[in-house]
Amino acid sequence: MSEAPSQVTPHAPVGGSEFDRDTMVRTREPGVHEAQLSPGWAIGKALNGGYLLAVLGRALRQALPHPDPFTITAHYLTATVAGPATVRTSVARAGRTVSTASAGLYQTDSRGTEVERIRVLATYGDLDALTDDVRTSAEPPAMPPREQCFRATDHPGGDAAVPEMGRRLDLRLDPETCGWALGAPSMRGEIRAWLELADGRDPDPLSVLMAVDALPPTGFDLGLTGWVPTVELTVHVRARPAPGPLRVAITTRNLAGGFLEEDAEVWDTADRLVAQSRQLARA
Amino acid sequence: MSEAPSQVTPHAPVGGSEFDRDTMVRTREPGVHEAQLSPGWAIGKALNGGYLLAVLGRALRQALPHPDPFTITAHYLTATVAGPATVRTSVARAGRTVSTASAGLYQTDSRGTEVERIRVLATYGDLDALTDDVRTSAEPPAMPPREQCFRATDHPGGDAAVPEMGRRLDLRLDPETCGWALGAPSMRGEIRAWLELADGRDPDPLSVLMAVDALPPTGFDLGLTGWVPTVELTVHVRARPAPGPLRVAITTRNLAGGFLEEDAEVWDTADRLVAQSRQLARA
């Protein structure tokens, strides 16, 4: 063997990875799904909104006749914590090519009251049923190869500065868009990164829902510090991603009135634009 | 009087215009609102999705403690027709600064069955309560003055080619982005226009919901013809628009697999980016 063991990439299969285990939902009865939210996807005290969207996305997949989220919108109502949660789904229409449903994620608070954490609206379809016709004017972001990008663990603060969720990911920031980590934000409102699950699981439409919300906030590149809570996040999944790491590019054009939008594009190894997302967040 | 009467711009007040009358909803009981959808907002046989979003937006305003749609998403399920409709609203959370609700628009079909046409999820707030802080990198679109843009009635097909909704609007297309009307699409996927209500009513957050879906589809500029039905439309209203005509710029980056996204930006006369929207549509 010419390759040192440290260079062997682990490669958990889709369905058998940390991400799959932590987003698993059990359908108790039609429209009622139980989840066990993992503390492994926390950033600070809060669970990541993209991770939670993937949990909701999996419950909707079980509730609908189509497998893939074509367009899904989440409104984040109250902070979700690790532990048990219930997802209730309500189908609006099940059509031939697409189907639409709402869902709510609920947790029981310390007083025993059920509280809604997130409300979602989504239309599902089958990405494999789409035509191969691609007439896109979008180009993949110009980024250096993965080996020339910065891991979170390269941060001067070291491993302790990495949020818990960072340990689930192999996230490598484009050096051009992480000056903020050294106190020199570019003020362009851009963050770009290579992103893969730490256990090497290939991307799929559900992990893409997490990927669009996995990078540091663009606010950091605009000189903001601190928490940028998401009000609403919409993701369009446009193609089934090819195996291998994703490139995620996030931009903000409009920071005003205490709010900002974050637009994400997700590109796969085949240079296909597989997802577009936009979120409204509080600065 | 030095001014000819034909040059006097009519100016219906907010609350007293055609748009206000046609989007009116009557709250029958908490959570149940009746609307009378006007045939005046049809494009071909279908009522315009932006007009319908404004009707839903008005019902949500009556159901929530906050007046303005900060972010609203609609999924279009079945074709809505002119005539009576019922909007049912369901509040998810009413907070201090923002509140969130779902809504559905229903009509009774020819067999007497109630059918859901549109399902919506929205978070409302108070635009007047936001800070004046604007740190945006977005620039208004470079467009010629209104007088140098094309009205729909300038089309060689004449007045008969104007859809019914066109009569409700003073829409003037940037000459650079309407080559498609003469058989020469630019293939850039861009449409820009000046937009005002025909009766001169000033824009407000509800009319902005209509404005983002009022232009010809960007597909025309990509060489597509025919109907581009909306699957989902999300609008972020970021500021209360100043009086006077809006500029609306729509772009498409990703036409693939039989679907495309349309991103709209809406600018007011004060050069403020007042709304951003994205829709997923079928090509």
Side-chain angles (χ1 to χ4, degrees), chain B residues 53-110:
Chain B
L53 188 59
V55 173
L56 280 150
R58 204 180 279 283
L60 283 163
R61 173 185 278 181
Q62 292 185 197
L64 287 169
H66 298 98
D68 301 313
F70 277 16
T71 167
I72 182 165
T73 291
H75 288 240
Y76 296 87
L77 310 172
T78 53
T80 307
V81 295
T86 302
V87 177
R88 297 181 203 283
T89 52
S90 151
V91 178
R93 177 172 179 269
R96 192 175 52 82
T97 58
V98 294
S99 48
T100 302
S102 299
L105 186 142
Y106 299 83
Q107 292 189 308
T108 303
D109 71 10
S110 57

Side-chain angles (χ1 to χ4, degrees), chain A residues 141 189-193 195 208-216 218 233-238 247-253 261-267 273-280, chain B residues 253-254 261 263 278:
Chain A
E190 287 180 31
I191 306 264
R192 293 187 294 270
L195 181 70
V208 161
L209 300 184
M210 177 276 297
V212 299
D213 195 40
L215 272 56
T218 51
L233 169 61
T234 295
V235 188
H236 296 178
V237 182
R238 300 292 301 277
R247 281 158 294 173
V248 184
I250 309 198
T251 53
T252 292
R253 280 168 61 80
E261 99 286 6
E262 283 196 7
D263 276 11
E265 289 191 349
V266 181
W267 296 82
L273 179 51
V274 294
Q276 293 167 289
S277 77
R278 178 174 288 164
Q279 66 171 268
L280 183 68
Chain B
R253 280 169 63 77
N254 191 20
E261 100 286 6
D263 277 10
R278 177 175 289 164

